[in-house]
């Protein structure tokens, strides 16, 4: 037996996408998901996404980290899932879909996908750093020179500290580039390495930038390309009407032989 897959990427965060509307993908097989994401012995990806039918939504996105475990929300993956749904003919230019953190609306405009993220109620300050959940948990630290940083080492120091070692966290390092632009590098939980970009991380960093005086929209550079985040602040210290805007592209398609 074989399963068709599609490889997508959004600002360099890459995903194996599978049309699982017929429920023929053995998603409970953690080792299979992990091996497909392996960059030497598999397709190679930061995560795997199943697109499934849902009675109340255009589709459901089920996200797995590269380690094979079912994950939380993925912002770059969400944009890729919208592009994939459009290619499959599941949607046209707008979508309302379900992900791990609930409902998301999205629209497609040429190369760009605008993805609505869930409201953020609070941002915790941790010393000079910040911790918030934008669908996935994100630790945010502003630094002077993000290019010079060893993101792997510094990221792991936070990821495996006493607070986070059991549940994990993504760790973002941010440099201010100008009054409306930041540069973000992210150590991703579940990949356990730096990725080229992380959508929920970029969103988290833009919201923290707002606390530091930035206005919406915030432009964000990553190793894998550029994104934009727009938002409104709430009177209670949170954020609403949060949109992550950026590209999502099909890279190639293929077929996976499955041992029966
Ligand atoms: N790459 C994703 C984040 C995946 C979240 C995952 N790494 C975790 O929190 O376990 C993004 O674009 O938002």
């Amino acid at each position: 037996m074989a399963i068709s897959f599609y490889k997508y990427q959004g600002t360099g965060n890459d995903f194996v996408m599978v049309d699982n509307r017929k429920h023929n993908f053995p998603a409970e097989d953690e080792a299979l998901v992990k091996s497909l994401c392996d960059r030497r012995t598999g397709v190679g990806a930061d995560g795997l996404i199943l697109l499934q039918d849902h009675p109340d939504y255009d589709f459901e996105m089920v996200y797995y980290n590269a380690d094979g475990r079912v994950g939380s929300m993925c912002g770059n993956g969400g944009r890729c899932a919208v592009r994939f749904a459009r290619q499959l003919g599941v949607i046209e230019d707008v979508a309302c879909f379900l992900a791990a953190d609930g409902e998301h609306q999205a629209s497609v405009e040429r190369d760009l996908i605008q993805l609505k993220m869930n409201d953020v109620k609070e941002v915790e300050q941790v010393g000079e750093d910040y911790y918030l959940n934008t669908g996935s948990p994100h630790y945010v630290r502003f630094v002077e020179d993000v290019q010079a940083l060893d993101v792997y080492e510094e990221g792991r120091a936070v990821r495996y500290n006493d607070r986070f070692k059991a549940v994990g966290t993504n760790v973002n390092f941010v440099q201010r580039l100008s009054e409306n632009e930041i540069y973000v590098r992210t150590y991703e939980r579940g990949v356990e390495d730096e990725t080229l970009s992380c959508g929920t991380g970029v969103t988290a960093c833009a919201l923290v930038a707002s606390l530091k005086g930035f206005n919406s929209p915030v432009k964000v550079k990553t190793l894998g390309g550029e994104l934009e985040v727009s938002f409104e602040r709430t009177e209670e210290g949170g954020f609403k009407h949060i949109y992550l805007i950026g590209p999502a592209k099909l890279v190639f398609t293929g077929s996976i032989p499955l041992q029966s």
Side-chain angles (χ1 to χ4, degrees), residues 69-84:
R69 303 218 181 113
V70 76
S72 35
M73 177 54 184
C74 177
N76 287 325
R79 292 199 320 283
C80 289
V82 169
R83 181 72 84 201
F84 183 40

Side-chain angles (χ1 to χ4, degrees), residues 2-8 15-27 32-33 36-37 43 47-53 59-64 80-81 84-85 88 90 252 254-256 258:
I3 285 192
S4 303
F5 72 88
Y6 300 70
K7 173 77 186 283
Y8 275 78
F15 309 97
V16 172
M17 316 280 296
V18 176
D19 174 4
N20 199 32
R21 286 177 294 169
K22 295 205 171 91
H23 290 276
N24 50 354
F25 185 84
L32 173 66
V33 174
L36 291 171
C37 292
V43 180
L48 181 143
I49 294 171
L50 302 178
L51 187 141
Q52 299 186 165
D53 276 333
F59 63 89
E60 180 179 9
M61 155 188 169
V62 184
Y63 173 75
Y64 297 84
C80 289
F84 183 40
L88 294 174
V90 170
F252 62 88
S255 172
I256 308 158
L258 285 184

Side-chain angles (χ1 to χ4, degrees), residues 13 15 46 63 65 70-79 117 135-138 169-170 187-191 195 197-202 244:
N13 206 190
F15 309 97
D46 294 325
Y63 173 75
N65 273 320
V70 76
S72 35
M73 177 54 184
C74 177
N76 287 325
R79 292 199 320 283
M117 308 299 281
S136 285
H138 285 279
T169 184
N170 302 283
Y187 175 94
E188 257 195 60
R189 166 179 84 166
V191 180
T195 56
S197 158
C198 175
T200 49
V202 158
L244 173 68

